[in-house]
Amino acid sequence: MDHVPQKVSFPQIEADVLEYWEKIDAFQQSLKMSEGKPEFIFNDGPPFATGLPHYGHILAGTIKDTVTRYAHQRGHHVSRRFGWDCHGLPIEFEIDKLLGIKTKQEVLDYGIPNYNKKCREIVMKYSNEWKSVVTRMGRWIDFDNDYKTMDINYMESVWWVFKKLFETKIDDEPMVYNGLKVMPYSPGCSTPLSNFEAGMDYREISDPEVYVKFPLVDDPEVNLIAWTTTPWTLPSNLALCVNPDMDYIKIRDIKTNNIYVVAECRARVKGGIYPPIKKGKKNKKKGKNNNENDKPKDFEVLEKFKGSKMVGWKYTPLFEYFRDFAENNNAFRVVADSYVTDDSGTGVVHQAPGFGEDDFRVCLKEGIIKKGEKIPLPLDPNAQFTNEVPEYEGMFIKDADQPIIKRLKEEGRIVKSGSIVHSYPYCWRSKRPLIYRAIPSWFVRVEKIRDRLVKNNDITHWVPEHVKDGRFLNWISNARDWAISRNRFWGTPLPIWRNPEDEEDIVVIGSVQELEEKSGIKVDDLHRETIDGIKIPSAKHEGQFLERVEEVFDCWFESGSMPYAQLHYPFENKELFEENFPADFIAEGIDQTRGWFYTLMVISTILFDKPAFKNVVVNGLVLAADGRKMSKSLKNYPDPTYVMDSYGADALRMYLINSPVVRAEDLAFREEGVNKVVRDVILPWYHAFRYLSQSILAYEKATGNQFVPELGVATSSKNIMDRYILSAVQSFVKYIIQEMKFYRLYTVLPRLVLFIEELCNWYIKLNRPRLKGIDGVDDQLLAINVLFEVILTMIKAMCPFTPFFTEYLYGVILKIIPEDQRKDSVHFVDFPTPREELIDLEVEAVVKTMQDIINLGRTSRDRRMIPQRIPLTSATVVHSSQEFLDSLRSVTHYIEQELGIQTIKLTTEEGNFISLKAFPDSKVLGKRLRKDMKKVMTAIKALSSDQLRKIVQKGSETIEGHEIKVEELKIIKEFIGDNSQYEGNWNTDVVVILQLECNEELRQKGLYTMVKNRIQRLRKKSGIRVSDNVGVFYRFNNDNNNNNNNNEEFEEIIKQHSKEIEKLIDIPFLSFNSNISDSIINTTITNLDTTIQDVTLDPNPKEFDIELFICRPSYVLCENHGLNLSPEYLQFINLFFVTSDFNTLTSQITNNDNKLNLNFNNEPLSLTLNQHFVKTF
C-alpha cells in the first residue's frame, strides 16, 4: 500500500479526482454499466442560464446528486439529464434592458423575429459557468444530452400536453377555456401572471389612501363614503358594494354639517374619518372618567339600518368617462355582497370591475357588466391611461394617483386623504408593483379538480412532511383556475388556430406533423416568428382561414410539462415513460410549492390522474450569515467557488445537507460551518485511513509479506473490539439504507460523526498495540484486516455523500484489493448490503457500557485534578447484576488501559459504597395523590437504601396504599467511602470508584510511558513514515543543577525499562554514546530537549530533563577498534561514514564479505564489520 502523507490539501485531491473522472469518462461509464437494471427516474427542474449559480442551486444540486448516486449504487439505472429553462419573462426582461424596450409596441416595431433572435442569443449566456460550478461540486449529470425548453422536440411535447388538456372535459365543461378574468398583471412585463407567481414577492410599501364622497341622486346632501388605496381605479368606478347584514349609520358631521353613511363599526377607527375614543381618559375639567355624555361631539347619529336597506340607492359618479353604463347597465348604484368585511375601510367598497376580482364578480352578478361585452379598462399594456380617460392619457397609473386626488379635492369629493403602509405584491421579474386587471386569457380549470389534486398529493412522500400536509395542501385545496397564456413573444406559442370571423371555429394542434398536414407547410421551428404567419384552411367555412392566437405559454406550463417533454413523449420513448411514471424523485426549493411542484401535479393529474412524482425533498433558503438575503452588492457571503477551493466541495456538500435547510428551513450560511465539517469529519476520517496505511506498511516491513485483505480473517476475530467495530459499521450501513429509504439525508452526517468517533477515539486508540504488532504478528494481521474491512465499508457507504474523498481513499486502497474485486471507481461499486450476522447488539451494549465506565472514571480524575499520565492502583465497578458484570470481563483490560489503572474490581455490593435517598416527583404524584401526597412523601423520604434498591429491582412499591413506580421517584446516590482515598462517580446504571493511589511500580511505568509519548510526538513532528529506518537516542541534560540528582534516578529507570520503551515505539531506543556523538548529530532528523514531571500524586512533583534524537542509521568506529592510525586518518573515516548513503554502503560491505576498503593519502586500509566498525543500530 502506498504511503499516505500526514498533510493533504482536500481541494487539490478533488481537482485530481475531477481530472481522473474526466480521463475515464466516469459518469458515462457508470450509465453503461447499469444499463438493463431497473430504472430510477429523476426529474431535474430546469434553471435559467441567464443568471449565475448560487448556494441555492448548489444545495439543490447536492441533494439531487446524493440521491441519484445512492440509487445507482443500490442497483438502478439512473439517467440524469440537465435541463435549461429557455423561455419566458426572465429572458425577455434581459433583452428589454439590453435594447431599452419599455412597451409591447416597441417590441412589435423592432420585429418579433429580431427580438426572438436576441432572446435565443442570451439563453445560454452563463451555461459554461453553470457547467463549471456543477462539475466542481461533484455532481454527475449529463450536459451533452441535456434538454432545452426551446428545442422543437420539447415544444412539440408541450403542444401535445395542451391538446390533451384541451380535449379533456370535466362535468361536461372543457378543461381549457378562454375567458376574461381579473388577474395579477405585470405592467413592467406587459403580461398577466398566475396567482402563484403573484405571491412570490410581497413588500411593505406606502400607498395613498382616500375617503371619497358619493352623493345620492335622490338626496344629494347624503354621501356614501368609500375608502381606497388605488385612486387610479376611481375613474373606472361603476358601483358601490355594502354587506347586507352589517349595521350602517347615517351621521351628521358637527364641524362641516355634511351627512355621511358608513358602517357603524368603521365610524371610529385608527386612521379613519373619526378617531377612536381613548378608554379611561380623565376629563380635565371634571376630574373624572368620560361617560356617554363626555364623548367627542364630532358627529351625531341620525339613523341606523342594515346594509340590505341601501341596495339600489343611486349615486352621482365621480367622472363622466363611463356614464353610458348607467343608461345601458343600471350602473352607479349600491349593491350588496358578503365579501365586504369590517376589518378595513368604511364598509362601503368602490367597484371597478376591470381591476378587482370581487368587483368583477359582483358587477357581473348584478348585470352591471355582461359576459362578452366591453367593461371599463382604460389602460394600455404598459398600465398607462388610454384616450378613454383623456385627462390622464399616457400617464402611468401610479403617477396618476396624486392628480386624481387633487382634482377630487378641488371638487369637494374627498373627506380625508393620507398614506398607508401595507403589504403589496411585486412582479418577481421586473421588480415593479403588480396590479389586478381584467384580461382575456386561456385558463386550465383547476378549481374543478381540487379533490383529485388532494388525493394525488396524499400518495406522495415529502421531506419534510409538514410541507406536504401544510403549505402545499393548503395551496392545492384552494387552487384557482390557472391562466396559462402570456401576451409575450419568446415562448412556446399556444397551438390554437382560430377563425377571426367565427371564434368557435378552432383547431388545436398537437404535433409538428399535424400542423404540416393541416397547413401544407414544412415546419422546422415552433417559435412565433416561424409559425405566426401559418394559416390553416377552415373545415367549417369554405374559403376562410384560421390564424394562430398571439399568446405564448406561461413558462411554468412548459416546466410543468417537463416529465413528458424531456423525453419527447409520446413521439419517442413511449415505453420508457409509461413503464416508469411517476418519477421516483424530484427536489427543489420551498418556493416551488406554488411553482414547479404545483404545475407538475396539476398537469399529471389531468393527463393521468397520478402525481408526477413519488418522492420530493424540499429545501429552504440559504441566507447570508446575518440572516439577510445574499447580496452581491452587500458582499455578505463568500463566493461558492472560493469556499470549494478553500475547504473542498465535499465539506460544502456535507455542511449543506446536514443543516436545517434540507428540512425546508432557512440556513444562515457560515463559512466556519464548512471548516467545522473538515475538522470534525473529514480530517478524523483521513487520519483513521492513514493509520490503516501505517499499520499495513509496518506489518509488511516487519514480516516481509505483502498484506492481502481477507474478509474471512476479519470476521473470524474473537476480540470484542473487533466484533464491536464490525457490528457498528454494519449497523451504520443499515441505518443509511433505512434513512435514505425515506430520503432523510440530514440524518446521515450526525451518525457518521458518531461512527468516526467510535472508530478513531475508541477502536483505533484501544487497539494501537495490536495494530503495531506488539501482541504478535497474527493478532496484528487480524486487527489490520478488521480495520481494512471497516474503512472499505465506510468508503462504499459514504461515496454518494462525499464523492471526491471516497474516490481518493478508494484509489489509494485499490492496489491491495484482490484484482477480481477492483473497479475503476468507487462509484462503480455496489452499495454494501448489511451483513446481519455481524451485527451483535449485545457486544455493542457491552462496549457502550465500557465507554460509560471510562468516561465516568475520566470525570473522577478531572474532579481530583489527577492527570491521565499518573497511573492509579485500582478501580471498582459496581452493578446490581452479576451477569452484567460478567459481560464486562472481556473489556476490563481496555478499561484499565484507558483509565490508567493497574487492576479493576467488579462487584454487585453497591451498599458498601453508595447510599440511596428518594424524593417523590411532586409534579407527577401531586396530581394523582392529592390529599395523600403529604403522608406518601414522608414515607418515601423514610425509606432506607436497601428498601430503595429492592424497589428499583421490582420497578414499583405500594406505599401508604398507593402503588408508586420508580419513574415517579427522584433517587439520589451518595458515596459513603473514604473521600481522601477514593473518588466515586455514577450514572443510572453503573458506579465507578477510583482508588487514589500510585505505587512505585506504577510510577516507573508512568515515567517511561511519558518518554514514549514524547517520542511519538517527535516522530509526528518530523514527518517520518512508519516504514522509515530510524532509531531514537536519548541523553540526560545535567546543565540544570537542581535536576542533576533527579536525572540520575530517572536515567536508572529509563535504562531499566528501555526494552519496554523500544517495544512500545517499535524502533531502536539507545543511550547517547559520546564516542559516536558526531555520527548521531550528523544523522539526526529531529531532536527534542524536554522536561518530564515525576509521576506522583504529590502536588509539587520532581522534574527530569531528557534530550531525544531521531536519527537515521550509520556506521561508526568501534570504541576499541585497535587501529594505529593518525588523527587525520581517523577523522577521514568518521567523515566518510556520516557522508555516505547508509543503504549503498551496507550493500558494498555485504558484497565484500563484511569488509570495507578505504584509501587516504595513498594509504590503503581494510576494515572489518564488528571488529573495526559497527552499525549505530
Side-chain angles (χ1 to χ4, degrees):
M1 185 173 180
D2 291 341
H3 165 71
V4 177
Q6 182 178 336
K7 293 183 178 180
V8 291
S9 165
F10 294 119
Q12 184 55 52
I13 281 176
E14 293 181 353
D16 295 341
V17 168
L18 284 171
E19 188 177 329
Y20 175 69
W21 283 346
E22 185 176 6
K23 178 182 175 183
I24 67 169
D25 198 9
F27 175 46
Q28 291 301 326
Q29 267 206 64
S30 72
L31 291 176
K32 289 177 183 175
M33 291 168 65
S34 62
E35 284 178 357
K37 293 182 178 180
E39 294 287 341
F40 180 90
I41 301 299
F42 156 65
N43 285 339
D44 192 19
F48 289 100
T50 49
L52 291 169
H54 51 67
Y55 283 106
H57 298 117
I58 290 173
L59 165 64
T62 297
I63 295 170
K64 296 169 185 178
D65 188 60
T66 302
V67 171
T68 52
R69 283 182 182 274
Y70 175 79
H72 167 81
Q73 278 193 272
R74 292 280 290 164
H76 292 276
H77 180 259
V78 190
S79 295
R80 284 155 271 180
R81 298 178 65 197
F82 201 83
W84 301 100
D85 210 340
C86 305
H87 288 148
L89 292 178
I91 313 296
E92 291 195 26
F93 191 68
E94 292 294 320
I95 296 303
D96 289 349
K97 285 194 296 182
L98 179 69
L99 301 177
I101 287 175
K102 296 179 180 175
T103 68
K104 180 178 180 180
Q105 188 58 47
E106 287 176 330
V107 176
L108 296 174
D109 293 342
Y110 184 71
I112 294 176
N114 295 328
Y115 186 82
N116 280 1
K117 181 182 178 185
K118 286 290 184 183
C119 290
R120 192 185 294 271
E121 288 172 359
I122 71 156
V123 159
M124 304 303 288
K125 182 177 180 180
Y126 293 115
S127 60
N128 289 333
E129 287 82 354
W130 271 88
K131 290 177 184 178
S132 175
V133 171
V134 169
T135 302
R136 177 63 189 89
M137 64 175 278
R139 186 178 176 194
W140 278 8
I141 193 158
D142 197 338
F143 281 105
D144 296 329
N145 186 34
D146 58 5
Y147 73 85
K148 299 181 182 71
T149 60
M150 67 178 183
D151 290 344
I152 188 170
N153 285 351
Y154 192 99
M155 296 169 72
E156 184 178 28
S157 289
V158 172
W159 276 16
W160 173 83
V161 169
F162 178 75
K163 182 167 184 176
K164 295 294 287 186
L165 265 59
F166 193 87
E167 293 172 345
T168 301
K169 289 193 174 185
I170 184 165
D171 297 336
D172 291 327
E173 291 185 291
M175 188 58 71
V176 175
Y177 67 94
N178 185 233
L180 185 71
K181 271 198 174 186
V182 176
M183 299 166 54
Y185 183 85
S186 171
C189 297
S190 303
T191 191
L193 301 180
S194 59
N195 283 301
F196 58 83
E197 287 177 294
M200 287 181 167
D201 187 6
Y202 265 84
R203 305 183 189 183
E204 292 293 315
I205 65 166
S206 177
D207 264 332
E209 63 170 348
V210 289
Y211 291 84
V212 186
K213 292 161 45 176
F214 292 85
L216 295 179
V217 171
D218 294 335
D219 191 353
E221 289 187 359
V222 178
N223 298 277
L224 305 175
I225 307 300
W227 170 82
T228 184
T229 58
T230 54
W232 61 268
T233 62
L234 290 171
S236 303
N237 170 266
L238 290 186
L240 296 174
C241 189
V242 297
N243 188 310
D245 301 317
M246 198 181 292
D247 290 324
Y248 288 79
I249 53 176
K250 182 191 294 185
I251 60 177
R252 182 188 303 277
D253 185 275
I254 301 300
K255 186 176 180 181
T256 65
N257 213 34
N258 289 328
I259 299 175
Y260 305 138
V261 175
V262 294
E264 181 180 32
C265 61
R266 299 300 301 174
R268 291 191 183 279
V269 291
K270 185 178 179 181
I273 305 175
Y274 300 105
I277 298 173
K278 295 182 179 178
K279 293 182 180 179
K281 185 176 180 182
K282 294 273 188 177
N283 185 305
K284 292 181 181 179
K285 292 182 180 179
K286 297 181 181 180
K288 60 183 181 179
N289 288 336
N290 287 323
N291 56 36
E292 282 296 317
N293 296 323
D294 297 320
K295 288 184 178 179
K297 297 297 184 181
D298 41 16
F299 69 82
E300 63 174 326
V301 178
L302 303 177
E303 188 180 351
K304 179 177 175 180
F305 40 81
K306 291 290 184 184
S308 55
K309 181 181 177 181
M310 302 165 62
V311 174
W313 291 1
K314 294 190 175 182
Y315 63 87
T316 303
L318 297 172
F319 299 92
E320 298 295 318
Y321 306 128
F322 301 104
R323 173 71 78 167
D324 57 325
F325 276 85
E327 300 168 4
N328 302 329
N329 299 77
N330 199 19
F332 307 116
R333 58 185 169 91
V334 176
V335 295
D337 193 88
S338 60
Y339 94 88
V340 178
T341 61
D342 60 3
D343 58 358
S344 62
T346 65
V348 180
V349 181
H350 121 75
Q351 305 289 289
F355 303 109
E357 192 170 4
D358 284 311
D359 307 37
F360 185 90
R361 176 181 58 79
V362 170
C363 288
L364 190 63
K365 179 183 70 173
E366 295 290 335
I368 295 172
I369 60 173
K370 294 182 173 62
K371 275 190 176 181
E373 293 186 4
K374 181 182 175 183
I375 66 173
L377 275 172
L379 301 183
D380 69 9
N382 305 301
Q384 294 173 341
F385 280 107
T386 64
N387 59 9
E388 290 180 283
V389 182
E391 281 180 78
Y392 310 109
E393 184 179 357
M395 191 177 291
F396 180 64
I397 52 170
K398 299 305 290 180
D399 296 335
D401 277 340
Q402 291 307 319
I404 290 172
I405 293 172
K406 181 181 177 184
R407 170 182 165 171
L408 294 177
K409 277 184 177 180
E410 290 171 352
E411 295 177 353
R413 303 294 288 267
I414 301 290
V415 177
K416 182 181 177 182
S417 65
S419 62
I420 183 173
V421 175
H422 61 158
S423 182
Y424 195 84
Y426 270 61
C427 175
W428 64 285
R429 284 316 306 179
S430 68
K431 308 303 180 187
R432 294 175 63 187
L434 297 178
I435 64 170
Y436 282 79
R437 67 179 291 179
I439 193 164
S441 187
W442 292 90
F443 293 87
V444 175
R445 211 178 292 274
V446 179
E447 293 169 29
K448 289 279 189 178
I449 61 164
R450 286 173 180 167
D451 57 336
R452 289 164 59 191
L453 292 175
V454 170
K455 177 180 69 74
N456 283 335
N457 179 54
D458 194 49
I459 60 176
T460 59
H461 173 67
W462 291 62
V463 177
E465 195 77 11
H466 69 77
V467 178
K468 167 188 173 180
D469 298 328
R471 186 185 180 109
F472 192 68
L473 178 60
N474 292 338
W475 183 253
I476 60 176
S477 297
N478 298 284
R480 312 291 290 277
D481 286 356
W482 175 17
I484 59 170
S485 60
R486 296 290 178 268
N487 301 95
R488 297 303 301 177
F489 309 96
W490 177 245
T492 299
L494 264 67
I496 301 173
W497 270 256
R498 185 164 59 184
N499 190 336
E501 306 298 325
D502 178 3
E503 291 196 350
E504 293 185 3
D505 186 8
I506 290 178
V507 168
V508 174
I509 302 296
S511 69
V512 171
Q513 181 180 345
E514 185 181 2
L515 177 60
E516 290 178 341
E517 290 173 351
K518 282 185 163 56
S519 67
I521 297 174
K522 189 71 176 173
V523 175
D524 58 6
D525 181 55
L526 295 181
H527 287 93
R528 285 193 63 177
E529 63 271 25
T530 303
I531 67 168
D532 274 5
I534 295 177
K535 296 183 179 182
I536 296 176
S538 171
K540 186 176 179 183
H541 304 285
E542 189 175 349
Q544 295 183 11
F545 290 87
L546 312 185
E547 299 174 3
R548 199 192 70 81
V549 299
E550 70 168 23
E551 294 97 331
V552 298
F553 280 110
D554 169 15
C555 61
W556 292 100
F557 188 88
E558 295 183 36
S559 58
S561 302
M562 171 265 177
Y564 331 103
Q566 69 161 341
L567 296 172
H568 195 209
Y569 178 81
F571 310 101
E572 296 181 74
N573 301 303
K574 200 168 188 298
E575 185 178 334
L576 173 66
F577 171 79
E578 292 175 357
E579 288 181 358
N580 297 283
F581 184 78
D584 292 285
F585 164 69
I586 62 171
E588 293 296 340
I590 186 74
D591 54 323
Q592 297 303 323
T593 51
R594 297 181 178 183
W596 192 49
F597 301 154
Y598 172 69
T599 61
L600 285 172
M601 184 69 80
V602 168
I603 292 174
S604 66
T605 297
I606 298 171
L607 291 181
F608 302 105
D609 201 19
K610 295 179 181 179
F613 49 85
K614 299 174 186 174
N615 302 282
V616 53
V617 176
V618 186
N619 63 264
L621 299 178
V622 183
L623 306 173
D626 58 8
R628 291 189 291 174
K629 188 176 180 180
M630 289 186 170
S631 166
K632 289 182 181 178
S633 59
L634 293 176
K635 297 181 179 177
N636 61 352
Y637 68 96
D639 181 81
T641 303
Y642 159 78
V643 171
M644 288 190 281
D645 289 346
S646 299
Y647 307 101
D650 278 344
L652 177 57
R653 287 169 66 112
M654 297 192 79
Y655 170 69
L656 290 173
I657 64 172
N658 187 49
S659 70
V661 79
V662 185
R663 301 190 294 276
E665 300 171 28
D666 291 345
L667 166 68
F669 183 91
R670 289 180 172 84
E671 186 180 336
E672 58 267 29
V674 184
N675 188 29
K676 190 173 187 297
V677 172
V678 176
R679 189 173 65 247
D680 295 349
V681 181
I682 298 179
L683 270 175
W685 186 358
Y686 178 77
H687 290 152
F689 182 79
R690 183 169 181 266
Y691 199 87
L692 170 65
S693 76
Q694 290 176 320
S695 301
I696 291 172
L697 292 172
Y699 166 80
E700 291 179 342
K701 176 186 174 184
T703 64
N705 299 325
Q706 184 177 353
F707 171 72
V708 178
E710 294 182 62
L711 178 60
V713 171
T715 56
S716 68
S717 176
K718 304 300 181 188
N719 178 281
I720 189 165
M721 288 305 292
D722 288 349
R723 291 168 59 200
Y724 165 71
I725 202 66
L726 287 170
S727 176
V729 77
Q730 296 302 324
S731 294
F732 177 53
V733 170
K734 189 175 181 179
Y735 177 82
I736 294 176
I737 293 172
Q738 171 189 319
E739 294 303 291
M740 290 300 289
K741 179 181 179 181
F742 298 103
Y743 294 83
R744 292 191 289 256
L745 284 71
Y746 53 85
T747 64
V748 174
L749 182 61
R751 184 65 177 259
L752 172 66
V753 172
L754 291 175
F755 181 77
I756 288 174
E757 183 182 354
E758 296 294 309
L759 179 64
C760 298
N761 296 347
W762 293 102
Y763 180 77
I764 291 177
K765 185 179 180 183
L766 297 184
N767 285 278
R768 277 175 182 157
R770 296 178 62 221
L771 290 161
K772 288 179 179 179
I774 291 174
D775 297 335
V777 172
D778 291 342
D779 197 43
Q780 180 186 23
L781 184 61
L782 196 62
I784 291 173
N785 266 290
V786 170
L787 185 56
F788 176 89
E789 175 61 24
V790 168
I791 286 181
L792 181 58
T793 302
M794 270 184 75
I795 291 169
K796 293 176 183 178
M798 284 305 298
C799 66
F801 302 88
T802 54
F804 291 106
F805 187 56
T806 50
E807 187 73 277
Y808 164 74
L809 298 181
Y810 186 76
V812 175
I813 215 171
L814 188 65
K815 294 178 181 177
I816 57 175
I817 294 176
E819 199 166 336
D820 61 335
Q821 299 174 25
R822 295 178 193 173
K823 302 284 186 181
D824 289 339
S825 168
V826 70
H827 301 285
F828 300 166
V829 178
D830 290 342
F831 194 88
T833 300
R835 298 192 57 180
E836 296 288 346
E837 73 275 13
L838 297 181
I839 297 177
D840 192 327
L841 299 182
E842 290 183 8
V843 166
E844 291 190 35
V846 169
V847 173
K848 174 65 171 63
T849 304
M850 175 199 76
Q851 293 168 343
D852 289 343
I853 292 169
I854 291 170
N855 287 329
L856 288 168
R858 287 171 177 168
T859 303
S860 294
R861 276 182 171 272
D862 291 342
R863 281 206 296 254
R864 289 301 187 99
M865 292 186 289
I866 301 173
Q868 192 69 27
R869 64 183 178 81
I870 299 176
L872 300 174
T873 52
S874 70
T876 301
V877 175
V878 187
H879 193 276
S880 58
S881 167
Q882 185 61 49
E883 183 181 356
F884 174 87
L885 293 174
D886 291 340
S887 70
L888 289 178
R889 297 191 187 282
S890 59
V891 293
T892 52
H893 61 294
Y894 290 122
I895 298 173
E896 291 166 355
Q897 176 184 318
E898 281 304 290
L899 285 183
I901 55 175
Q902 194 169 24
T903 58
I904 187 167
K905 303 170 185 176
L906 306 175
T907 179
T908 59
E909 301 299 325
E910 185 183 89
N912 294 338
F913 307 95
I914 299 293
S915 68
L916 301 181
K917 289 182 180 179
F919 297 91
D921 188 329
S922 300
K923 284 186 178 179
V924 176
L925 286 176
K927 294 178 182 178
R928 182 159 69 86
L929 303 183
R930 298 184 181 276
K931 63 181 182 179
D932 290 345
M933 179 64 186
K934 189 172 182 180
K935 66 178 181 179
V936 172
M937 180 187 295
T938 302
I940 289 172
K941 288 181 178 179
L943 292 170
S944 68
S945 289
D946 289 340
Q947 287 174 317
L948 283 170
R949 287 191 179 89
K950 290 178 182 177
I951 292 173
V952 170
Q953 287 179 346
K954 288 170 57 180
S956 66
E957 182 64 76
T958 300
I959 301 174
E960 296 291 343
H962 296 277
E963 184 182 10
I964 308 298
K965 297 179 180 178
V966 172
E967 305 89 69
E968 296 173 318
L969 300 176
K970 294 179 181 178
I971 298 176
I972 298 172
K973 293 181 179 180
E974 290 184 356
F975 181 58
I976 57 176
D978 184 351
N979 283 308
S980 66
Q981 296 293 318
Y982 299 93
E983 177 68 19
N985 199 7
W986 51 81
N987 58 22
T988 54
D989 293 324
V990 67
V991 177
V992 179
I993 301 160
L994 296 185
Q995 183 178 2
L996 308 179
E997 180 185 17
C998 179
N999 58 33
E1000 180 59 25
E1001 180 186 349
L1002 292 175
R1003 172 180 175 254
Q1004 292 190 20
K1005 181 180 179 182
L1007 283 171
Y1008 74 69
T1009 299
M1010 289 174 66
V1011 172
K1012 182 264 293 184
N1013 292 339
R1014 294 292 199 281
I1015 294 169
Q1016 297 294 48
R1017 280 190 225 164
L1018 195 58
R1019 290 175 72 171
K1020 188 174 182 180
K1021 175 185 171 185
S1022 69
I1024 62 172
R1025 305 175 183 181
V1026 173
S1027 57
D1028 287 344
N1029 189 8
V1030 295
V1032 177
F1033 287 90
Y1034 67 90
R1035 69 179 175 186
F1036 296 93
N1037 185 352
N1038 294 317
D1039 294 339
N1040 186 341
N1041 292 327
N1042 294 330
N1043 290 344
N1044 277 349
N1045 294 333
N1046 296 345
N1047 284 345
E1048 289 176 8
E1049 178 192 7
F1050 187 40
E1051 183 173 6
E1052 187 59 36
I1053 293 172
I1054 296 305
K1055 284 181 179 178
Q1056 184 180 341
H1057 295 284
S1058 61
K1059 292 302 178 185
E1060 285 99 322
I1061 296 173
E1062 191 169 280
K1063 185 177 181 182
L1064 288 171
I1065 63 176
D1066 199 26
I1067 54 176
F1069 181 67
L1070 307 163
S1071 176
F1072 193 102
N1073 188 331
S1074 59
N1075 293 322
I1076 60 171
S1077 61
D1078 288 343
S1079 175
I1080 293 172
I1081 298 301
N1082 282 288
T1083 59
T1084 293
I1085 299 169
T1086 187
N1087 69 306
L1088 175 69
D1089 193 351
T1090 185
T1091 298
I1092 291 176
Q1093 286 189 334
D1094 197 2
V1095 176
T1096 175
L1097 296 175
D1098 191 324
N1100 298 304
K1102 294 182 285 188
E1103 292 185 338
F1104 311 108
D1105 297 320
I1106 187 171
E1107 191 171 6
L1108 302 168
F1109 302 82
I1110 291 186
C1111 306
R1112 299 195 186 280
S1114 179
Y1115 290 97
V1116 295
L1117 286 171
C1118 296
E1119 189 173 351
N1120 297 313
H1121 49 71
L1123 297 171
N1124 186 19
L1125 299 171
S1126 67
E1128 291 81 10
Y1129 210 132
L1130 292 174
Q1131 185 178 1
F1132 163 74
I1133 294 172
N1134 285 327
L1135 183 63
F1136 175 80
F1137 281 144
V1138 299
T1139 57
S1140 298
D1141 178 74
F1142 177 78
N1143 292 330
T1144 303
L1145 191 57
T1146 299
S1147 178
Q1148 291 175 3
I1149 293 168
T1150 303
N1151 294 333
N1152 197 30
D1153 294 329
N1154 290 334
K1155 294 186 180 298
L1156 176 66
N1157 298 320
L1158 298 174
N1159 191 307
F1160 177 68
N1161 289 337
N1162 295 320
E1163 290 185 41
L1165 180 67
S1166 179
L1167 303 177
T1168 303
L1169 181 65
N1170 297 326
Q1171 178 183 346
H1172 301 114
F1173 67 100
V1174 292
K1175 294 179 182 179
T1176 53
F1177 57 86

